[in-house]
Amino acid sequence: MSLVGSRIVIDGFPATVRYVGTLKGKSGEFMGLEWDDPTRGKHSGVYQGESYFTTTVEGSGSFVPSGRSFSTGKGLLDQLKRKYINTESDTTIQWGNVKVESKGWEKISKRVEQLDTLVEIGLSGQEISHRGCPEGELQRTLPLCEDIDLSRNLFENWQQVAEICAEMPKLRILRLSYNRLNMSQITPPNAFASVRILTLAHCGINWNTLCSSVRLMPHLNELFAGFNQISELSSFDAQDWHNIETLNLEHNQIKDFSLLGSLTSLSSLILAGNPLESIPKPNGFQGLKFINLNETKISEWTQVHLLNDFASLVEIRLSHVPVMQQVTERISTLSGRLRKATKINGSQITPKLRKDAEIWYLNQCALVQEQPDFAQKHPNYSYLCEIYGTPVAAKPITFKDTMIAIKLSNGVQTIEKRISPKLTVRALKQIAARVLYPQKWQQAVNSDLTWTQKNIELVLDDPMKPIESFGVAEGDVLLLGSRM
């Protein structure tokens, strides 16, 4: 029997056999493998210029001698019993190099051993590839199972999974991440009729394969298919997807999601990590309430504003995107631009927060409303002006605006100067000495600088303090020494 297409484990790492045979210039027989972890690969099935097989992920292939030790898939029922049924009579548990007495563990173990009471079952990474028992036995063993995790196993096709799920009539949650499943004819055709939630992350599938998978589950409500090879969303039968409410397609290669507007039940859409640069016009998407666009490539505010046109959209995630890179007040900025959002980047937008954010945003708009493309960049401005009134553009404060006029005197001569109130006493004494005593300024700089206010003479005696700390203000007269 040929191993080609088989799922195996070598040194603890799962792979799919893509080729068995000889290699040009090498003696002996080799297996061409496509590793589930692409970083273990060395090529895509090409050796010395000749192609022996192709990989679904570039660079994930390698050759190993056929005599290399490996293991193939195991039956689910055996692995279930091995994990859940305690065959040891010992009442101790090993923690590293330490053995501890497991007081009460026997009672817990006995409860778990009652397989027919299990509702949630975790069998991730158990090298399972098939049911492993006669038809009907699995149903008698697990009559109450509602949630099963079969991630990181060795299934080759959907039929193998169907033979398991067909014997779990109460199954609602099916987790199949990190498997490599080829599409095949399913018997019985209603094997997945009870499944409501499906996880297919890291399965190396494309859009067409995902559509075929959805077609197997007529009552599916939630689909998680992130970290795959989904790029172009080609046309599909929306009827197959009519029950989908939550769709997670994060970290794929999707650039346009407009076709998803035909999903009439869709309320939550996760597209984080895709190379999206634009938002489609909301043709459809009538029930969409939540969208996650984190880590996309959206760089224009005109695209962000299109989210206002989605009829029911109230919760938005938009962080780590180019358009937000130079933004400091992120929640306020987004609240001002997205007028229907009640939650942004996980923050609840309360009525008070929204009001404060919109007023702040209006004032920021007032500073740039003379720009020629203002209306295009700030389409929400007119709407907010109707609520709060048109803001008056505040004149930007410059350094010049902060300066004050004071008078420097030596008792005979008085000169007016404009200075910063943050100027230190030492610096002001140097200025006063140079303008009042140009010939003897080096001696004059050591004189006292005094300030008279309400008949009280105050010496500015701390050279490193700013003059504003002494209360010096616009129009005050400061005296440096006496006539020299």
Side-chain angles (χ1 to χ4, degrees), residues 7 14 35-38 56-57 151-153 176-181 199-206 210 224-230 248-252:
R7 301 274 292 146
W35 298 98
D36 286 15
D37 179 2
T56 54
V57 178
S151 302
R152 300 178 187 273
N153 279 294
L176 291 169
S177 296
Y178 292 94
N179 279 291
R180 297 293 182 267
L181 296 164
T199 302
L200 286 174
H202 295 276
C203 287
I205 58 177
N206 58 27
L210 183 63
F224 300 85
F227 299 90
N228 280 297
Q229 298 180 50
I230 301 169
N248 185 331
L249 296 173
E250 63 184 326
H251 292 278
N252 279 285

Side-chain angles (χ1 to χ4, degrees), residues 8-23:
I8 64 173
V9 173
I10 293 184
D11 299 330
F13 295 96
T16 302
V17 180
R18 299 296 186 196
Y19 171 79
V20 177
T22 58
L23 298 177

Side-chain angles (χ1 to χ4, degrees), residues 75-353:
L76 182 144
L77 190 58
D78 287 342
Q79 296 303 89
L80 176 74
K81 291 177 178 178
R82 187 187 66 81
K83 179 175 180 179
Y84 283 90
I85 296 180
N86 180 21
T87 58
E88 302 288 336
S89 59
D90 191 2
T91 58
T92 60
I93 300 176
Q94 188 87 16
W95 294 89
N97 296 321
V98 180
K99 270 192 174 184
V100 295
E101 184 71 24
S102 56
K103 186 175 182 180
W105 179 255
E106 186 177 352
K107 185 182 294 185
I108 297 172
S109 178
K110 290 291 184 185
R111 190 177 303 141
V112 173
E113 286 177 12
Q114 297 171 355
L115 298 179
D116 59 354
T117 67
L118 293 180
V119 176
E120 298 179 11
I121 297 172
L123 291 172
S124 176
Q126 299 296 311
E127 301 182 10
I128 297 168
S129 66
H130 57 283
R131 188 174 60 202
C133 60
E135 185 177 349
E137 185 174 348
L138 193 59
Q139 183 170 353
R140 290 190 293 273
T141 305
L142 299 170
L144 301 181
C145 181
E146 296 180 8
D147 180 345
I148 189 166
D149 186 355
L150 295 173
S151 302
R152 300 178 187 273
N153 279 294
L154 297 180
F155 297 107
E156 297 174 14
N157 54 60
W158 275 100
Q159 177 59 33
Q160 294 169 334
V161 180
E163 290 173 359
I164 293 170
C165 295
E167 299 202 12
M168 297 181 179
K170 294 182 179 294
L171 186 65
R172 295 179 58 83
I173 303 173
L174 177 59
R175 309 173 197 270
L176 291 169
S177 296
Y178 292 94
N179 279 291
R180 297 293 182 267
L181 296 164
N182 292 316
M183 191 48 59
S184 58
Q185 292 293 323
I186 302 302
T187 306
N190 62 344
F192 303 102
S194 62
V195 175
R196 299 296 188 271
I197 301 173
L198 174 65
T199 302
L200 286 174
H202 295 276
C203 287
I205 58 177
N206 58 27
W207 177 246
N208 289 334
T209 302
L210 183 63
C211 289
S212 298
S213 304
V214 170
R215 195 173 300 123
L216 302 175
M217 304 179 189
H219 302 293
L220 194 64
N221 300 134
E222 300 180 23
L223 174 60
F224 300 85
F227 299 90
N228 280 297
Q229 298 180 50
I230 301 169
S231 52
E232 183 179 354
L233 305 186
S234 55
S235 59
F236 60 97
D237 188 347
Q239 186 60 31
D240 294 336
W241 298 67
H242 75 282
N243 287 316
I244 298 291
E245 298 172 1
T246 298
L247 179 58
N248 185 331
L249 296 173
E250 63 184 326
H251 292 278
N252 279 285
Q253 296 299 315
I254 300 168
K255 295 183 178 181
D256 180 4
F257 64 95
S258 56
L259 285 179
L260 299 179
S262 62
L263 305 186
T264 54
S265 298
L266 187 65
S267 63
S268 179
L269 179 59
I270 302 167
L271 294 167
N274 281 281
L276 290 165
E277 296 182 0
S278 60
I279 305 294
K281 292 183 178 180
N283 297 323
F285 296 104
Q286 291 301 307
L288 187 66
K289 296 178 180 179
F290 168 80
I291 192 167
N292 186 333
L293 297 169
N294 290 346
E295 300 178 67
T296 55
K297 296 184 180 295
I298 295 172
S299 59
E300 299 292 338
W301 285 115
T302 52
Q303 296 302 315
V304 176
H305 298 147
L306 288 173
L307 295 173
N308 285 316
D309 298 333
F310 285 69
S312 305
L313 190 61
V314 292
E315 185 174 351
I316 298 164
R317 287 187 176 268
L318 189 69
S319 61
H320 303 291
V321 292
V323 74
M324 297 294 291
Q325 284 181 353
Q326 304 302 319
V327 176
T328 53
E329 299 291 337
R330 296 181 177 180
I331 297 298
S332 294
T333 299
L334 289 173
S335 297
R337 293 177 180 272
L338 301 171
R339 57 178 176 263
K340 292 187 294 186
T342 58
K343 186 178 283 190
I344 296 175
N345 290 344
S347 296
Q348 193 71 39
I349 309 302
T350 63
K352 183 181 185 307
L353 190 154

Side-chain angles (χ1 to χ4, degrees), residues 51-65:
S51 178
Y52 291 88
F53 64 94
T54 57
T55 58
T56 54
V57 178
E58 186 176 354
S60 61
S62 66
F63 291 103
V64 299

